[in-house]
Structures are given as C-alpha cells and as structure tokens.
Amino acid sequence: MKRNITTTINGEARELAVETFHSLLDALRNAAGLTGTKKGCDVGDCGACTVILDGAPVCACLVLAAETDGCNVTTIEGLQSAPGSLHPLQESFMMLGGAQCGFCTPGILMMAKALLDENPNPTDDEIRFGIAGNICRCTGYTKIIDAIRDAAVQLRQEAKGGGKS
Amino acid sequence: MSERQKFNVIGKSVKRSDMLEKVTGAARYAGDLTLPGMLHGKLKRCEIAHANIKRIDTSKALALAGVKAVLTHKDVPHVLHYGSPHPRSASVTKDQYILDTKVRYWGEAVAAVAATTEDIADEAIRLIEVEYEALPAAITLDDAMAAGAPVIHDNGLEGNRVVPDMLFKRGDVEKGFAEADIIIEGNYAVGRPQPAYMEPNVCVAQWDGSDKLTLWTSTQSAFMVRGTLAEVLGLPLGKVRVLCDHMGGGFGAKQDLFQHEFLCALLSRQTRRPVRMEYSRKECFLGGRSRHPGTIWLKQGFKRDGTITARAAKVVFDSGAYGSHAPGVTAVGASALTSLFRCENVHLEGKCVYTNTPIAGAFRGYGVVQTYYALDIQIDEAAEKLGMDPAELKLKTAVREGDIAPSGHAIVGHGLEDCIREGMKAVGWKERPVGCGSAAYRTVSPADGAVRADALPHPTSKKVRGWGIGCEMHGSSAYPGIKEQGNALVNLNEDGSATLLTGAAGLGTGAHTALCQIVAEELGLEFEAVSVVHGDTDIVPWDIGAFASHTTYMVGTAAKMAAAEIKQKLLARAADQLEVSAGDLEVEGGFIGVRGVPGRGISVRDCVAPKLGIPAAHLFGSGTYMPTKSYSFGAHFVEVEVDTGTGQIDVLQVVPVHEIGKVIHPIAAAGQIEGGIQQGIGHTLTENHEIDPKTGRSLNANFVDYKMPLSMDMPDIKTIILETAPDPGGPWGAKGVGEDPIIAIGPAIANAIYDATGVRFRHYPITPEQVLEGLARRRHV
C-alpha cells in the first residue's frame, strides 16, 4: 500500500508516494530520482547510503521512507550550496585523492559533513571514529582522512571570515 | 628518453577527470539507470552444494500478478562457455552454462524472474519450486582430490582437476638440495578472501527494434562481455553493445561474465522490456568471485651465506565449482616462485581443483599473493636458521637486472634491491627496537650487542611489538598468458583541445586521468584540454579489459603513440603556416613555437582551425601497442603489536616502498598502494569467506561477519615510491602499480607477528584464537 509523504529533500519539499515498507534509500533513489546515494548492502553494514536526516547522519537503508514525512533530508546532491560552488569537503576529496571508485564517497562525504558540523576541529582519531561505519575498499582511508582534515581547516578559516587560503 | 626530461603534465597530481562527478553524486553507475517500462529481475539460487535438478515448477511464480517472465535451464541457450572472458587465452577454461541441469555450489542460480517491481520479483522467486536429486559433494580440497571423490565436471581429468597439472622447472633441484647447508620445508595455507567491491554486481538490458542488445553493466572487460554474450546468445557482434561509465570497484573479479548478465539479457528479450538486475550483498559473496584458497608446500635449500640452492613447490588451488581463472591463477602463482629471490634450481608444480564451493576468480595479485606469502615467510624462517637479518637475506637474494623473470623476460633494473634498501633506511631497520620473538638473528642486537630494554614489554603490559619485512614483484600486463593489445584514438578538436577514446574501464583507479595526462604531455597541451570518452563498445577502440596492472603501461603507450601521430600532423601543418621546418617546432601548453625564437609560433587552435570554429582538417591519431611485460617491485616494512592476553593483532605502521618506473599521477599511485595494503591486512588478519565443510553453505556472506579493516583499524602508512627502474615498454618508463601492494603486506605482517611473539604462522588469516594457541604452545616448549 502506498502512502503519500512530504519530505524536504535538499531544501525542496518533495511529495512522494512510497510503499509503507520501503526504505528512505529506495525512496531517494527511485521515487525522488536522486541516485547519488548508493546501495552497498541495504542492511546498514556499509554506510554507502549515509544521508543527513534532521541534522543527524543515518543509513538511509535503515529508515522507513514513511517515517520521514515532514522531515529534512540532505543528500550528496545537496552538499554543495549552489552549482559551481562546492563544499570544502568536495574540493578536498577531489584534490587529495579522497575518492577512487567513488561508490562509498557520497556516504563518506555526508558522514564527514555531519562530523564537522558537530566537531569543527577533530583530531585524526576523531575523524577515524567519525567514519568508522563507512566502508571504503579502495583507499585504505589515508587520503580520506587527509581530505577531511584539510576541509576542516578550510571550514574553520571560512567561519573566521578568512575565506579559503 | 632523457633522464632530465622536463615534464609539464605527467608526474603531477592533476585533478582527476572523474572526480567532480564522484564528489557531487552525479557520477552514473550501471545501477543508477532507470528506463521507461523497466522490469526488475531476480535469481533463484539453490541451497544445496551438489545436485541434479529433477523438476522445476514455475507455475505459481508465473501466476503472480506483475510477473512477466520466468526462465529455467529449459528456456535458455545451452552453450558451454568460459566463465572468464579471455576466450582465446590459456588462462581460462570452458565449463559453464547460463543455467544447467545440475548445480555445483550452494548459491548457484537455477532460475530467473522478471517482474514489474523488485518486491514482486522477490515473491516470485519464493514461489518457484525446485526438486533436487542430491549428489555427494566435495567441499574441501581433500574431499575433491580423494580417491572416489564425486565428479564435479566430467572433463576426463582425475581428481577433479580443472586442467592438467603444470610444471615449471629450471636447473637441477636434486643437485641444488645436495649442495645446501640447510634445508627448510613447510606447508602453507591460504584462505578465501573476497574482493568485496562496494558496488554490487548490477546490469540493465534492453533490446531495440532492430534486435540489438544493449547491456549497461558493472564490468572491467566490456569488450569481453560483448564477445561472450554474442557467442553464447548466437548474435553477431554488431548486435551487442555494452556500456559501463563509472564502476564501483572490481579488483579483478568483475572480469568474469556472471549469470545475471546473460539472464538479464534473456529476460529482456523475452519481455521486450528493459530489465534491471542487481545482486544483493549476499549474492556478491555467493555468486561473485573470491581469491583462490589453497595449500602450498615449499622446500628450499640454502648455503651458509644465504645463497638459495634449490626451490621445490607444490601449489594446489581451490577453484570452486567452475574454472573461471584457475588455470591462469595457478600458472601465474606457481611460476612466480621462479623469481623474487634468486634461485637457479627450481621445480614447481601447480594444480587447480574443482570443489563444490563458490567460484574463485581473478583478484588483485592473481595467484602471487598466495605463493609469495609462502615464499617470503620461508625466507624469514631461513634468515633465523642462518643467523642473518631477514632484510639482509632478502636483499642478498633479491632478483636483479638481467635475471629471468617468470614471464621469460630479463628483469630491467634493480627495483627490488632499491625498495629493500630504501625501506631499511626509512624505518631505521638496523636500529629498530628488538621484538620479543626468539629469532636467532636477535642475539646479535643493535649497537650494544644486547636486547634493548625499552623494546621489551613493560612488566605489567601484555602487549608485545615486532617488525617484519615482506617483498613482492608483479608484472604489468598478462603476457605471456595472454597476448594483449592496448588501443587508443585521439581526435584534435577545432578549439585546440583533444578527445581521447579508450576502451579501458573506469575501475576507479584514476587510469583515465593518467591516460589524459599522457596525451596532454605528448601533444603539448594543458591537462584540462584533454577529455576522455570511454565505456561504450560501439564507440571506443577495442580493449581487453582493466586488469593485470596494465592500463597505464599498455594503453598509456598506445595513447602516447596516438598523440605522437597527431603531433606529427599538427607540426607539419604549422610548419607550412609558419614557413619553417617542422623539425624546428615544439608544442607546449597549447602553443606551437619555433625553437629558439621566443614568441614566434601559432596556437594549436589557430593551426587546427584558422577560421574560428571550423576545423581545416580532421586531425586524429591512433595507437596500437602489444606489450610484452615489465615488473614492478615492492618491499613492505610493518610494525605490529600483539596483545598476548587476547591474541589481538594491531598493525601499527606500514612503510611500503614501491618501484614503479615513471609515476604519472603520484596521488593516484599512492592511493593504489594504500588501498592494496588495506585489502592485504584484511586477507592476513580477518577476511575469510567461511564455507561450511559439511554442507558447502556460506557462513558469513555479509559485511558484519566478513570483517574488513575500516578506518579505525587502518595503521599509519608512509608510502615511498621509487622511479629507479623505468621500463622501456611503458610511457616514459611507467609501469603498473595496481596488483603489487596487496602482495607484500601479508608476509610482512606474518613475519612481524613472529618477531613480536616468536610464534610462526604459515597461513592466513591469522586469528586471535590462533595467536593464543600459538603462545600457549610456545610456553610449553
């Protein structure tokens, strides 16, 4: 049985018809047409589908779509503030080798955003802990950690009004 | 190639051509595609390891509303084919049907469904009834090789052999062993790690009005998929188009053609609608491809000075239910033992055997991971017996320039020695803290001749530390197993930019960026002026697939040749326009200048299109390159900490040193190394696809029970890349790097554990329970 929900996705109120037993992940990928969020396991083990739901990172595969009626969801497609204006995390991942095959990347970027929103100046151990639920099979995490650390510096400079170095 | 050649584009970590799409979520993977009217396919998988199918009843499934088609073995072409798509090479064997009347492993597909939704397809799968006639199963290698073992494939070979046994020999091992001062012999065993690519296998099939099949699929080998699909489905090649834009990893396994790719195409043909089929994560374990588990018996003779006088080995690999890459993996793995550490007299036997377990296939390191694990650990064992430092013994015996490599070629340069020396320097090997292992070489300790007190565990600490070194070499290209070919086409556009067309897959390694860098460098353009078209078998030149560390090496050379052809045409045009000799011209940053006359020249754009926007000529270049082989080298230095109370092993730091010739993109190259180390740590310590030895059932086909190293587990890695042994066969001396890093890390960890604990492990994965058992045994000795 389908249910109509209204969920704000990346700032836009979206009216979606979803099966009551479907996940937010399937709703995003199919009903909303936002395929940037990836399905790596569908059971909450890999983190590839991480999105930000009302300010908190979640595995979209573990949330029922119907539960998000009236909620705010940010996906990878909403990470940049405007076309051509990337989030510092996106810049850092591009320049420092934070992505290889790119399949875990949307989830890791969203998890990293949630981490830096909460803790703008994380230690490397805190970064490792922050993305502990996100499986990356390509990079060995070294360059992901470099990229998050670098983006944190940029964000702190921006917050101080210093802009990008 | 001049040593001091100045490079403008290669050797720099330019922004990768695929990155913007990947960080914005815009990158399109095969599974992201939706087509109008698209159906969803699912596979029915068996839950028995070995059986004949007596009866399949699909009537209930077909009666379910929304079900559009059900296929069983009765409905599909019964054509024997290669599971791995190198149909004309010696590395594969022809033993698969799309669907057979028999199942050979728990989890093999027996039927396929297409329905209007995934949920209906799932329900339909449950409604298919299959009656089996159970057959005795051979789950383990011992089962399969025993007298009277069940026959898995009736190929006329005894003992469930996939192919006849192989032998690689040189010199006289008997004489070599007779000359040895010490002989070391051991049995080594390797587990069943999975590639665990993040993107599950997925494809979408569609037939058009002209009966042409288009398949979007996550594959490393689009042209091989095209060829095999055409052959098995009885279609002309021109009626099959295979597309793959981005893919979420493959690590070798996605070279094979999987059951769902055939079945998705057939479901789509029958329903006349597009069909999408995606493996669940569990299906990636069951229906995917693992590394080959197996056993290696290894015996070597040594002189007192460390010279290796003889090496004999028996390598037995478990291919699982089908041959896939077993012949190639066995040949490459066994023949690798002819090299790495020099030995004149070798006698190496290779055997690959079917069992009733999920299929083993190609996986980064291709047989060499397993055999060098045994070889490197045994050299460590020898060092102890000889009273030598293991790094010194490895350096002394390291393969060097002019030695004959496993491929039959002479080694170029001294890459392995360079890696060992550089790593010893970087970690301060000779001054390293002394582990608690009882290795004899420890009796001669650094500096003061006594064990350093600060290296011993604190009296109240239960944690001990140790260092290990592991070595490897791996070929770029699959020669001589496969006579490969790399192709490239480059078009020059009217604005002076260039477009590279390549069949090389976008596996995620950054290879397309490297290819664009090579074209830009050769053609004298900025990197940003070169774009790449790939992933469509109707458009791009033929490619054998992305594997064997060969894309940058082989396709890179083809791309350089293509760019050179355009450059020649371009300079001829510019010479006319400028009324100078072409030999006096050079191109840099998109400007064709007259050498020695600053400012005189013409931009590439004006040369190509004097009338703005209209090219004066179609300037293109093509390159075809058939490589032989080069070898890259590596030595990994690892420090581990072992908790003697829990058996927990922590890899504290890794210093990998790799010699890979000219580096095209330093960050991408380092990324390959660090990712390979992650997978190798997993292989060595935690990763093993467990198969119940009684039933053949998978016990851990998910990411919780199959444990990979994640961000909290990964050590610091201080990557060192050397360019000391460039190969004349690669662009500016570049060689491959993809396969190498997964090989040396395993033995380095095992050797470090020995250094820390005095317990020698000759298998992987090494679990905490085994560490505790080993420590208990050692205390009793």
Side-chain angles (χ1 to χ4, degrees):
Chain A
M1 212 195 44
K2 288 208 174 180
R3 189 175 149 186
N4 293 316
I5 60 169
T6 304
T7 304
T8 302
I9 305 174
N10 302 328
E12 183 190 350
R14 298 286 302 265
E15 288 178 29
L16 305 172
V18 298
E19 294 283 357
T20 49
F21 54 87
H22 275 183
S23 67
L24 174 60
L25 174 58
D26 284 334
L28 288 170
R29 287 183 57 83
N30 302 326
L34 296 169
T35 56
T37 304
K38 299 301 179 205
K39 185 185 281 190
C41 71
D42 212 23
V43 289
D45 293 343
C46 79
C49 66
T50 304
V51 298
I52 297 179
L53 174 63
D54 287 340
V58 295
C59 285
C61 70
L62 295 184
V63 177
L64 285 172
E67 287 181 278
T68 66
D69 192 12
C71 296
N72 251 299
V73 177
T74 307
T75 71
I76 184 66
E77 288 90 347
L79 182 58
Q80 60 194 109
S81 52
S85 169
L86 295 178
H87 189 280
L89 277 164
Q90 292 171 309
E91 293 278 4
S92 297
F93 269 64
M94 274 203 296
M95 297 315 297
L96 299 178
Q100 286 189 28
C101 84
F103 203 78
C104 73
T105 307
I108 292 195
L109 282 168
M110 298 316 288
M111 185 57 88
K113 176 184 161 39
L115 167 71
L116 297 185
D117 284 350
E118 190 181 295
N119 177 3
N121 191 8
T123 63
D124 278 11
D125 279 348
E126 287 167 341
I127 294 173
R128 287 178 185 275
F129 185 72
I131 57 169
N134 293 77
I135 301 179
C136 169
R137 190 63 164 167
C138 292
T139 64
Y141 292 94
T142 44
K143 293 183 169 24
I144 291 175
I145 293 162
D146 288 349
I148 295 174
R149 190 194 309 115
D150 181 75
V153 173
Q154 287 183 47
L155 282 163
R156 289 200 303 276
Q157 280 171 356
E158 281 178 25
K160 274 194 283 183
K164 286 178 197 173
S165 55
Chain B
M1 189 187 75
S2 140
E3 285 283 323
R4 300 192 178 281
Q5 191 169 351
K6 175 175 153 276
F7 296 111
N8 294 312
V9 188
I10 66 164
K12 296 182 165 56
S13 293
V14 297
K15 189 195 286 182
R16 274 175 54 168
S17 58
D18 55 345
M19 275 301 123
L20 184 59
E21 296 159 86
K22 286 178 175 174
V23 300
T24 54
R28 289 279 171 268
Y29 298 78
D32 296 335
L33 184 70
T34 300
L35 296 172
M38 187 170 81
L39 301 174
H40 298 270
K42 292 277 176 188
L43 298 180
K44 172 88 175 176
R45 293 183 178 276
C46 69
E47 297 189 342
I48 186 166
H50 199 194
N52 288 318
I53 297 171
K54 280 176 71 180
R55 186 181 64 88
I56 303 187
D57 185 348
T58 60
S59 55
K60 285 182 189 152
L62 279 164
L64 185 68
V67 172
K68 299 298 175 187
V70 181
L71 300 176
T72 72
H73 63 85
K74 287 176 251 175
D75 313 306
V76 302
H78 198 64
V79 178
L80 202 59
H81 64 85
Y82 302 92
S84 157
H86 301 304
R88 278 149 211 91
S89 83
S91 64
V92 294
T93 186
K94 211 174 199 178
D95 59 6
Q96 291 192 36
Y97 295 100
I98 299 172
L99 294 172
D100 200 359
T101 53
K102 187 177 173 184
V103 292
R104 295 178 175 84
Y105 68 94
W106 183 297
E108 185 166 2
V110 295
V113 166
T116 49
T117 70
E118 275 191 87
D119 306 312
I120 295 171
D122 271 332
E123 181 58 23
I125 287 299
R126 275 188 286 274
L127 293 173
I128 297 172
E129 292 169 7
V130 190
E131 195 182 323
Y132 296 101
E133 177 202 359
L135 298 170
I139 309 297
T140 66
L141 277 173
D142 286 344
D143 296 344
M145 295 189 294
V151 175
I152 299 171
H153 290 270
D154 195 7
N155 61 1
L157 297 172
E158 291 285 310
N160 280 307
R161 283 174 174 81
V162 178
V163 287
D165 293 350
M166 304 166 195
L167 176 64
F168 303 90
K169 59 184 286 196
R170 178 172 68 211
D172 182 343
V173 280
E174 293 312 319
K175 184 166 155 277
F177 281 122
E179 288 168 4
D181 293 319
I182 66 161
I183 288 175
I184 302 186
E185 183 179 346
N187 288 300
Y188 301 79
V190 290
R192 191 191 299 265
Q194 291 285 123
Y197 33 74
M198 289 310 296
E199 178 201 28
N201 300 67
V202 60
C203 68
V204 178
Q206 182 179 38
W207 297 73
D208 70 14
S210 72
D211 264 344
K212 178 169 178 168
L213 167 65
T214 300
L215 186 77
W216 291 262
T217 189
S218 177
T219 180
Q220 296 172 233
S221 313
F223 284 89
M224 303 293 112
V225 170
R226 179 181 73 165
T228 309
L229 274 177
E231 194 177 312
V232 177
L233 302 185
L235 298 165
L237 211 55
K239 290 288 184 191
V240 183
R241 180 187 188 191
V242 178
L243 294 148
C244 180
D245 189 354
H246 296 286
M247 61 181 298
F251 309 116
K254 284 182 184 167
Q255 286 173 59
D256 275 21
L257 201 63
F258 295 83
Q259 276 181 297
H260 73 288
E261 288 165 317
F262 291 109
L263 289 163
C264 201
L266 291 168
L267 287 166
S268 175
R269 179 155 73 177
Q270 177 154 335
T271 58
R272 309 308 299 173
R273 289 170 71 167
V275 179
R276 176 185 190 274
M277 203 182 277
E278 181 178 32
Y279 279 8
S280 67
R281 181 52 63 185
K282 182 179 177 184
E283 285 184 291
C284 293
F285 280 84
L286 298 180
R289 302 289 182 267
S290 72
R291 186 180 301 292
H292 288 74
T295 60
I296 298 142
W297 169 82
L298 180 63
K299 178 179 167 184
Q300 294 182 95
F302 296 83
K303 291 276 201 194
R304 292 244 173 271
D305 68 356
T307 306
I308 306 169
T309 59
R311 180 178 301 144
K314 287 181 180 154
V315 177
V316 184
F317 281 152
D318 177 350
S319 180
Y322 292 94
S324 181
H325 280 258
V329 164
T330 309
V332 172
S335 67
L337 293 172
T338 59
S339 194
L340 190 64
F341 302 115
R342 317 176 83 193
C343 177
E344 282 308 306
N345 306 304
V346 298
H347 185 100
L348 313 165
E349 296 172 34
K351 181 199 290 288
C352 49
V353 175
Y354 292 118
T355 60
N356 291 117
T357 62
I359 306 168
F363 185 2
R364 190 180 206 174
Y366 208 80
V368 180
V369 164
Q370 296 95 316
T371 57
Y372 280 181
Y373 188 75
L375 177 60
D376 192 282
I377 290 173
Q378 194 169 81
I379 298 292
D380 229 66
E381 296 176 47
E384 181 183 4
K385 284 225 166 109
L386 294 165
M388 291 175 77
D389 181 282
E392 293 289 355
L393 178 57
K394 288 171 188 179
L395 184 60
K396 181 184 167 64
T397 57
V399 65
R400 61 195 63 164
E401 181 150 74
D403 287 355
I404 298 303
S407 63
H409 294 86
I411 296 282
V412 176
H414 295 266
L416 182 55
E417 295 163 277
D418 295 341
C419 289
I420 297 172
R421 281 203 193 94
E422 191 65 30
M424 288 174 75
K425 210 172 3 160
V427 304
W429 180 259
K430 289 184 177 165
E431 294 79 39
R432 72 194 185 283
V434 173
C436 295
S438 60
Y441 59 84
R442 289 306 200 191
T443 59
V444 185
S445 69
D448 55 6
V451 171
R452 274 171 50 173
D454 63 356
L456 292 170
H458 189 271
T460 59
S461 165
K462 293 190 298 184
K463 291 183 175 177
V464 293
R465 291 184 175 187
W467 276 91
I469 169 182
C471 297
E472 64 85 28
M473 61 193 270
H474 202 281
S476 313
S477 105
Y479 191 92
I482 308 172
K483 310 285 186 289
E484 301 186 324
Q485 179 192 110
N487 296 303
L489 273 175
V490 180
N491 289 321
L492 205 55
N493 302 311
E494 66 271 26
D495 66 348
S497 67
T499 306
L500 165 70
L501 285 80
T502 173
L507 197 53
T509 57
H512 288 156
T513 301
L515 296 178
C516 289
Q517 286 179 277
I518 288 164
V519 169
E521 185 71 50
E522 180 68 19
L523 207 41
L525 301 179
E526 304 285 353
F527 169 71
E528 291 74 17
V530 182
S531 54
V532 62
V533 173
H534 70 101
D536 183 341
T537 56
D538 270 8
I539 294 175
V540 298
W542 186 90
D543 188 87
I544 196 165
F547 56 82
S549 295
H550 68 191
T551 300
T552 301
Y553 176 69
M554 175 178 76
V555 187
T557 301
K560 186 167 182 273
M561 291 162 76
E565 187 186 326
I566 297 186
K567 186 174 174 180
Q568 197 185 10
K569 294 176 185 173
L570 186 68
L571 293 188
R573 284 186 64 79
D576 281 351
Q577 288 160 320
L578 295 168
E579 297 181 332
V580 294
S581 153
D584 292 332
L585 297 174
E586 59 190 1
V587 203
E588 193 176 316
F591 186 80
I592 305 164
V594 180
R595 204 171 281 125
V597 189
R600 173 129 195 258
I602 185 171
S603 72
V604 172
R605 189 189 70 176
D606 289 345
C607 178
V608 181
K611 289 182 190 169
L612 199 60
I614 302 175
H618 176 209
L619 287 186
F620 67 94
S622 70
T624 290
Y625 179 54
M626 298 185 75
T628 51
K629 193 143 191 157
S630 73
Y631 282 84
S632 298
F633 302 91
H636 288 193
F637 294 77
V638 170
E639 188 183 20
V640 301
E641 183 174 80
V642 180
D643 186 323
T644 60
T646 65
Q648 180 69 36
I649 301 158
D650 256 343
V651 179
L652 298 179
Q653 56 170 320
V654 182
V655 179
V657 191
H658 283 266
E659 196 293 309
I660 59 173
K662 177 66 192 165
V663 177
I664 307 293
H665 191 292
I667 282 185
Q672 285 299 299
I673 292 167
E674 289 151 19
I677 286 171
Q678 175 187 14
Q679 294 178 352
I681 291 174
H683 282 33
T684 312
L685 298 180
T686 56
E687 294 183 30
N688 195 25
H689 185 198
E690 302 275 359
I691 304 297
D692 178 17
K694 287 206 168 59
T695 62
R697 181 180 179 177
S698 164
L699 300 177
N700 59 344
N702 62 71
F703 281 160
V704 166
D705 299 313
Y706 182 91
K707 187 75 185 84
M708 296 177 282
L710 304 185
S711 57
M712 302 282 284
D713 312 305
M714 284 302 293
D716 284 334
I717 302 174
K718 295 185 191 75
T719 303
I720 298 171
I721 301 180
L722 306 179
E723 300 180 313
T724 53
D727 188 89
W732 294 284
K735 302 188 285 191
V737 64
E739 314 255 355
D740 292 80
I742 200 171
I743 302 170
I745 182 72
I749 291 173
N751 295 334
I753 293 170
Y754 182 75
D755 188 45
T757 63
V759 181
R760 178 64 75 181
F761 292 101
R762 297 182 182 86
H763 72 276
Y764 65 68
I766 303 166
T767 66
E769 292 84 352
Q770 293 160 347
V771 170
L772 292 180
E773 286 164 16
L775 287 167
R777 261 199 321 273
R778 191 166 166 264
R779 278 192 283 269
H780 283 107
V781 172

